[in-house]
Amino acid sequence: MSVAVVTGGSSGIGAATARLLASRGWTCVLVARGRERLEGLAGEIGGEAEVCDVGDREALEAVARRVGERHAAVQLLVSSAGVPGRGGGFTDLPPERIEELTRTNYLGSVWALRAFLPLLEAGAPAHVVNVVSVAGVYAVGASGPYSASKHAQLAFSRAVAVELAPRGIRVHAVNPGPVRTEGFPQESLRGTRLDRFVLTPERVAHTILRTVERDRPESYAFGAYRVAGLVQAALPGTLSRIAQQRRRRRASRSRSE
Ligand SMILES: NC(=O)c1ccc[n+]([C@@H]2O[C@H](COP(=O)([O-])OP(=O)(O)OC[C@H]3O[C@@H](n4cnc5c(N)ncnc54)[C@H](OP(=O)(O)O)[C@@H]3O)[C@@H](O)[C@H]2O)c1
């Protein structure tokens, strides 16, 4: 039976992915900080729970050692643990939150891959999926620190994919747009025309599985979001001016209300 480690496996995209994998016969090791939810889902899908903060490198290494005592190899690592920036910018978000975004969203995937690398090599051909975001290819205005953590996670993903290919490990990035989950409730989109583009975690879970099965380096869950990164790369000045104009309009609207 194949073994998958899913960080952030107690909620949202990670939980939906673990459920999908379990329904296809995978044994899932779920990793997150909150014990109750984690053990509840692990029990439901016949998986295993490992309570751990992915930003804590040594704790993750200890988790990998414990998993190695139970399983000779791991065939799939899904790094989905992540925290939102709640729309905060570089000058208004508390510094501790900027550190947490970096530690969890970016370094969490680096430490997870490094900790599980020996087990992934033992399981080769094996796969790693980093759940990044469209915010990893596109950054304007609000949510800058979140975007920066996702840009770093995507750069890590792309670079390490080249490093690990000769060792039989394929690294993939999945870049969803808005998905309604506990950490990312997408309140600002409710009642707007954009709300119909908000995805379910189950839809992203299917994209993750398809990305592995079809061996795609990067996927978007909703293809139109691919354009966002292309537009920013081609027209950074234009996009920045549009974002500044929208910001000014929003500020003057809220002053006149
Ligand atoms: N939802 C969206 O709109 C969206 C869009 C693009 C990308 N993403 C990305 O998708 C990933 C999953 O997000 P989600 O929407 O599924 O959010 P979610 O429902 O809030 O789930 C986040 C998961 O990560 C775990 N987690 C958070 N911090 C952790 C830490 N330091 N160590 C270990 N586990 C941690 C949480 O459990 P504990 O709190 O118990 O630790 C939970 O299991 C994130 O990387 C996010 O950036 C989300």
Side-chain angles (χ1 to χ4, degrees), residues 6-16 31-38 50-56 60 79-84 86 100-101 103-105 108-109 130-135 146 149-150 153 174-186 198-199 201 204:
V6 184
T7 77
S10 64
S11 173
I13 296 168
V31 180
R33 295 164 304 177
R35 177 179 296 279
E36 207 176 315
R37 225 169 26 159
L38 197 66
E50 287 287 351
V51 176
C52 180
D53 181 339
V54 295
D56 182 339
L60 256 183
S79 271
S80 188
V83 288
R86 303 206 191 286
E100 188 188 359
L101 284 163
R103 207 172 42 242
T104 308
N105 297 357
S109 359
N130 290 310
V131 181
V132 186
S133 172
V134 72
Y146 176 76
S149 73
K150 290 289 166 181
Q153 190 191 18
V174 170
N175 300 325
V179 184
R180 191 156 280 127
T181 61
E182 187 179 292
F184 300 77
Q186 312 298 345
V198 174
L199 302 180
V204 181

Side-chain angles (χ1 to χ4, degrees), residues 15 24 33 39 41 59 68 100 125 136 145-146 167 170-171 186 201 206 209 217 226-227 233-234 254:
R24 305 278 174 97
R33 295 164 304 177
E39 290 184 344
L41 183 59
E100 188 188 359
Y146 176 76
R167 292 156 79 170
R170 316 289 294 175
V171 181
Q186 312 298 345
H206 279 281
L209 203 59
R226 189 180 293 277
V227 177
S254 64

Side-chain angles (χ1 to χ4, degrees), residues 32-119:
R33 295 164 304 177
R35 177 179 296 279
E36 207 176 315
R37 225 169 26 159
L38 197 66
E39 290 184 344
L41 183 59
E44 181 193 317
I45 65 171
E48 300 166 12
E50 287 287 351
V51 176
C52 180
D53 181 339
V54 295
D56 182 339
R57 183 166 48 81
E58 287 175 6
L60 256 183
E61 284 164 2
V63 167
R65 279 196 297 277
R66 284 198 296 277
V67 171
E69 285 162 13
R70 301 194 297 270
H71 303 284
V74 166
Q75 284 78 19
L76 173 63
L77 166 66
V78 179
S79 271
S80 188
V83 288
R86 303 206 191 286
F90 281 106
T91 54
D92 56 5
L93 208 60
E96 297 75 17
R97 187 66 179 182
I98 296 179
E99 285 169 352
E100 188 188 359
L101 284 163
T102 309
R103 207 172 42 242
T104 308
N105 297 357
Y106 163 46
L107 288 175
S109 359
V110 179
W111 302 151
L113 188 149
R114 287 177 62 118
F116 284 99
L117 189 53
L119 285 171

